[in-house]
Structures are given as C-alpha cells and as structure tokens.
Amino acid sequence: MKAWFIRSYGGPEVLEFGAVPEPIVGARDVLVDIRAASINPIDIRVRKGELRRLVKYQFPLLMGTDLAGVVTAVGREVSRFSVGDEVYARPNRLRIGSFAERIAVHEDEVALKPKSLSFEEAASLPLVGLTSRQAMVDIANIKPGYKVLIHAGAGGVGTFAVQLAKHLGAYVAVTASQTKHELVRSLGADEVIDYRSQDFAQALAGYDMVFDTLGGDTLIRSFSVLREGGIVVSVAGPPDLELARDWPMPFYLRLAIRAMSWKVRHVANQYRCRYRFMLMRPSGEQLAEIAGLIDEGIIRPAIDKIYPFDEVKNAIAYSETGRATGKIVVSRSDGLS
C-alpha cells in the first residue's frame, strides 16, 4: 500500500511517500480502509523527534494520528465491529500511521463515526475531541457555573474545547486574534480576548480552569487568572511529576522531568493552584460518547482546509504556519484504490 513515512527525525524534507508493507491485523484489531485523516501538532513533534525520550519509535515510521474510514477486515476475537462499518479512531502512539491507505487499529480505540458527518469531518475530531474531553472532564472535572479560559480558541483543539465547555455548563473565555472572534463566539465563547491588543492576565480573574495549548510565557501567566485551587491543564507545557510517575521511564528521565517542570510547579504553588500536563489516551468508548454529542447537534467540526492524499506534505506545511482556523484534513475520497 501507499503511505507517508519518515526514515529519520528532522524537518519537512524527511517526509517521504511510497510503498510500505500492508498492516498486520491482530486478533483484536480492525483493518480500516482510510478515507480521511487530519493534521495535528503532534505529527510535527513526532517528525522532529521531540517525543523520542518518551516513545521509542521504529523506522520507517508511518505518520498520521487521526482517521476515519471503513472496516474491511476484523481479527478473530473482535466482537464490536463488522466489515462495512464506518468508523473513526485515534490509534495509540505506538501504532500511528493514518497518512496511509489502510491501518490496523485495536478495537478498543475505534468507534462508529458520527452518522451526521462525512469522513473528512469525522477525521478532524478524534485527537481534539479526546484531548478536550480528558482535560475538562477527567482532569478538571468541569461543572455547571465553572469559569474556563481556553487559549487559542480558534485552533484545532480550541474549537472543540469551546463547544464542550459550553455543553458542560461553563462560562467560557478564549484568546484569539480579532479576525477569529466571530467564529469562536459562534461556537459558544462568552468572552473573547484579542491576544494581540489585550492582556488576558489583566482582563480575567477568578477562573476555575485554564486550558493551555501554547505553553511558554502564556502558560506561566495563566496561573494569575485562577481562583485559589484552580487548575491549568496544558498540552504544550513541560511534563509533570504525574507523567513521570505513571509512565515507564528510566530514573534519569524522571529527574529531568522534575527539573523541567520546576518553574511551572513553583508558580502553581505560589498561586495555590494546580498544574497538569496531559498526553491524550486513545479511547473508543469516549469517541462513541463524542459521536453522540455530534449527532445531537451539540458539537460541530471546524475545518480550515481539505487537501488530497498526495498533498500531505503541503498540509503539514500549512499547519506549521500556525494560521489554521480549526482542523486541516487530508482526504482519499477522490483517489481510492
């Protein structure tokens, strides 16, 4: 089959397109004919080698982390899916490879795709949906009346997170450029901060949660808007001690994480708040829950551009500009073999 892959870490030039072996379907795997996939920042981080200390990838490494498609075969122990099912998934980090014609995914990481969506729309959702759900429900435990600040509210994660936070009953503030205010308000944002002309740290106070997708100085300054006991959940900041505790890793790496996270933990303690770094975990059960919200009209996908399958490199290049509003999708609908 054809796929996009890398033989080593590096810049855009290491991404190749060509023939690769067919996926091996395990006893509890489903084989999916991929109709669409989407671009995520994690794809760029993987290509650059930024996760090499946490995940030991083998080369050549197939790229891509979100997908939607049709089941064409199932393992002998699979009970939840059948050939012909339309599904969507976010495979676990050791079995990525959605920029391909086919992929084998464990059945626990797959769900029936939302019936109301196209394959392209469905492919835009797994990572951002799971990330938002796990940050807001599993970690922050958002309740009606909570106040939530979402950074980069017009981005891939942000556009989903705004809608989910509103569904959970929160008052939602977001940071976004002026040109994207109309979009984030249409998704449910109650208050929008133009990060180019306003200082969110001066404009906001008393928040229960900040959802950080930017890291750096934005992360550090976010603690000032929280109430005592509030939490910053970040997908872009330094790993925290919980990750060091929960992931299998050598002792020296645990020490490195402790050092990397010292500043943010110190600031959190100063404000008497909490900090959590999160790595999304695959979950077919949660994707099924998200599909329900989609089909009920509670959440809708936000897509910036759709590229054909043979233009994955261009799609990633556009993602690296940081200008996308919502998700960037790659479609095989016009080029199925």
Side-chain angles (χ1 to χ4, degrees):
M1 69 172 184
K2 296 291 185 64
W4 290 87
F5 59 91
I6 60 174
R7 301 179 192 273
S8 63
Y9 296 124
E13 72 283 353
V14 303
L15 189 61
E16 300 181 43
F17 180 66
V20 298
E22 289 285 340
I24 297 173
V25 182
R28 294 195 60 195
D29 290 344
V30 296
L31 181 66
V32 181
D33 182 76
I34 298 172
R35 303 299 174 85
S38 66
I39 311 298
N40 292 291
I42 190 70
D43 302 320
I44 298 164
R45 296 185 68 189
V46 168
R47 189 201 68 206
K48 291 180 176 179
E50 292 179 3
L51 302 182
R52 70 179 76 188
R53 291 186 175 181
L54 293 176
V55 185
K56 301 300 182 183
Y57 288 117
Q58 301 296 316
F59 296 105
L61 173 63
L62 274 62
M63 300 296 292
T65 49
D66 273 343
L67 66 110
V70 178
V71 175
T72 58
V74 298
R76 65 180 183 276
E77 296 180 13
V78 171
S79 59
R80 295 170 46 230
F81 299 96
S82 302
V83 172
D85 283 346
E86 297 184 349
V87 298
Y88 74 146
R90 200 298 190 182
N92 72 70
R93 53 185 58 87
L94 290 177
R95 300 185 69 183
I96 61 175
S98 62
F99 300 155
E101 293 178 325
R102 288 170 288 281
I103 190 171
V105 188
H106 193 284
E107 67 171 335
D108 287 349
E109 298 163 1
V110 178
L112 296 175
K113 83 170 183 65
K115 296 178 181 178
S116 57
L117 299 186
S118 67
F119 287 110
E120 289 77 13
E121 291 170 323
S124 74
L125 295 172
L127 185 143
V128 299
L130 291 171
T131 299
S132 300
R133 196 265 186 206
Q134 290 167 19
M136 294 185 173
V137 178
D138 297 348
I139 296 177
N141 193 26
I142 298 300
K143 303 291 186 185
Y146 275 30
K147 297 173 69 178
V148 176
L149 168 61
I150 299 168
H151 286 301
V157 173
T159 50
F160 192 101
V162 169
Q163 298 176 83
L164 180 60
K166 288 304 297 181
H167 171 64
L168 295 172
Y171 177 91
V172 181
V174 305
T175 58
S177 64
Q178 182 66 43
T179 58
K180 299 175 181 179
H181 284 200
E182 183 177 350
L183 169 66
V184 293
R185 288 193 185 278
S186 75
L187 298 175
D190 297 291
E191 188 171 353
V192 188
I193 304 296
D194 182 358
Y195 68 87
R196 291 174 177 166
S197 62
Q198 296 174 276
D199 183 353
F200 73 87
Q202 296 294 322
L204 305 175
Y207 276 67
D208 299 277
M209 176 197 182
V210 177
F211 192 12
D212 168 54
T213 62
L214 300 173
D217 182 62
T218 297
L219 165 61
I220 296 300
R221 295 169 61 241
S222 291
F223 289 97
S224 67
V225 311
L226 292 174
R227 62 166 175 81
E228 185 175 322
I231 185 170
V232 174
V233 181
S234 179
V235 296
D240 60 10
L241 300 184
E242 284 81 359
L243 180 72
R245 180 194 63 207
D246 296 341
W247 272 57
M249 61 181 67
F251 180 68
Y252 73 86
L253 189 52
R254 296 180 191 276
L255 291 178
I257 288 176
R258 180 176 289 274
M260 290 167 57
S261 64
W262 179 87
K263 182 177 180 180
V264 68
R265 289 187 290 111
H266 176 69
V267 174
N269 288 335
Q270 281 186 317
Y271 284 97
R272 297 183 179 179
C273 295
R274 295 175 291 151
Y275 169 71
R276 281 293 305 275
F277 171 78
M278 69 164 290
L279 283 175
M280 183 280 307
R281 61 180 178 82
S283 171
E285 181 179 359
Q286 291 184 3
L287 284 177
E289 175 187 312
I290 289 167
L293 295 178
I294 298 291
D295 286 336
E296 290 173 23
I298 294 170
I299 295 176
R300 59 183 171 90
I303 295 177
D304 186 305
K305 289 186 179 182
I306 299 177
Y307 288 80
F309 180 56
D310 61 358
E311 293 188 20
V312 163
K313 185 173 287 189
N314 292 336
I316 294 177
Y318 178 55
S319 176
E320 289 193 86
T321 68
R323 297 196 300 265
T325 300
K327 291 300 294 291
I328 303 164
V329 175
V330 174
S331 174
R332 288 191 62 240
S333 294
D334 295 329
L336 298 179
S337 57

